[in-house]
Amino acid sequence: MFLALETSTLTLSLALVERAGEDVRVLEHVVAGPPLKQSEALPGLVGELLARHGVKLAELEGLAVGLGPGSFTGLRIGLASVKALAYAARLKVAGASSLAAVALEGPEGPPLFCLAVARKDDLYFGAYRRRGHQVEALEPETAMSPEEVATRMAAEPTALALGPALTGYRAALEAAGVAPGRLLAGPEFPSAVELSRLIRFPEQQTLETLFALEPHYVRASEPERNPKFPPLPGPAPTARLKED
C-alpha cells in the first residue's frame, strides 16, 4: 500500500492504492481544487485519508509524487511535503512525469501529445505512446507555443492531443488548424491514480537520494528569467532542466 500525490496543477490529486504485481487497486482518490490552497490543505487531507482507512503513515510502502512539468509552486509544495513525510516515517519516495500520467488516460496506439499550461501562450509538451498501463516517451518533454503544437500535429497526422491545457487553449489550437476531433476531452489535471501505475520504488533509498529528488523543470521560472535581478547563488537555472 502506498500514497500517490499530484500537485503540478491547481487541482490536488491524492490517492491511496494497493499494488499486487502489476495490478493497482485504488482504495480512495481525493480531488481538491481552487480556491483551496494546497500548502494549507495537504497535511490535513493526507491525515484524513489515512485515518479513514485505518492506516498509519509508517505502514505504507512509500510515497509517489508527480514531478511535473507544471506549476512551479505546486511542484515545490508536493515534493517538499513528500520529502518531509518520508523523512519522518522512513519511507521510500519515487517520482514520475505528470505528463506521462496524463498519457495513461489517452487511447493506446497513436502518438499522444500531452499538454499543460506553462505560462501565457506557452505550453508544456510531452509526446508519449500508451502501452497498457505504461507509456513510452517518444521524445524529451519541452515547452512550446500553441502554434508550434499545431505545426507538430500537422507533421504527425495520427497524433492526438490531450491534457489540462486544452481547457484554455482548445480554441487557439483549432484556430491554428488542428481538427477538433484530434483534441481529446480531459483529463483536466494529472491523476494520482494514473501516476501510481508508473511508480517503481527503489530497493534501497538513502537520505542523499531522497533529498536529491527534484521536480522536472523544462524551463526557468519567471524570476530567474528576469534580467533586472542578479542570479542567486548556486547552480544556474539551466542545471535543473531535464535533458533526457
Side-chain angles (χ1 to χ4, degrees):
M1 185 182 301
F2 64 95
L3 195 68
L5 173 67
E6 231 300 323
T7 60
S8 66
T9 69
L10 295 178
T11 298
L12 184 153
S13 177
L14 181 66
L16 182 64
V17 302
E18 287 183 329
R19 180 159 54 205
E22 295 299 315
D23 296 327
V24 169
R25 183 169 76 93
V26 182
L27 300 180
E28 187 176 349
H29 181 206
V30 175
V31 176
L36 167 143
K37 291 185 177 180
Q38 295 183 359
S39 59
E40 297 176 0
L42 184 54
L45 290 174
V46 169
E48 292 166 5
L49 174 59
L50 295 178
R52 283 196 295 273
H53 295 270
V55 179
K56 295 180 180 179
L57 182 65
E59 296 173 341
L60 298 175
E61 176 189 1
L63 302 171
V65 62
L67 297 179
S71 161
F72 278 59
T73 300
L75 292 174
R76 285 193 290 265
I77 290 170
L79 195 52
S81 299
V82 162
K83 287 181 177 181
L85 292 171
Y87 178 75
R90 299 180 181 273
L91 298 176
K92 296 176 181 178
V93 171
S97 165
S98 302
L99 293 182
V102 168
L104 277 180
E105 299 199 53
E108 289 192 70
L112 299 173
F113 290 172
C114 303
L115 307 173
V117 176
R119 58 187 176 120
K120 185 177 180 180
D121 298 327
D122 194 14
L123 306 180
Y124 291 121
F125 175 95
Y128 287 91
R129 195 184 306 275
R130 179 185 160 206
R131 301 185 185 280
H133 291 311
Q134 294 297 310
V135 295
E136 171 194 0
L138 303 180
E139 60 185 80
E141 294 174 349
T142 187
M144 60 178 65
S145 69
E147 292 75 20
E148 290 172 320
V149 173
T151 299
R152 289 297 312 279
M153 295 198 71
E156 186 66 63
T158 62
L160 301 173
L162 70 163
L166 291 189
T167 301
Y169 285 87
R170 181 180 298 270
L173 291 168
E174 291 180 5
V178 181
R182 299 180 66 192
L183 304 175
L184 303 184
E188 296 183 358
F189 57 88
S191 168
V193 173
E194 303 306 328
L195 178 76
S196 71
R197 304 184 196 281
L198 301 172
I199 292 299
R200 295 296 181 270
F201 291 106
E203 291 295 327
Q204 296 182 336
Q205 189 169 62
T206 65
L207 287 179
E208 289 78 9
T209 58
L210 169 63
F211 289 109
L213 187 64
E214 290 293 333
H216 175 187
Y217 299 116
V218 299
R219 64 177 184 86
S221 67
E222 291 305 313
E224 292 168 331
R225 294 159 61 97
N226 192 331
K228 295 182 179 180
F229 296 95
L232 296 174
T238 51
R240 301 181 288 100
L241 307 185
K242 186 175 179 180
E243 296 180 353
D244 55 17

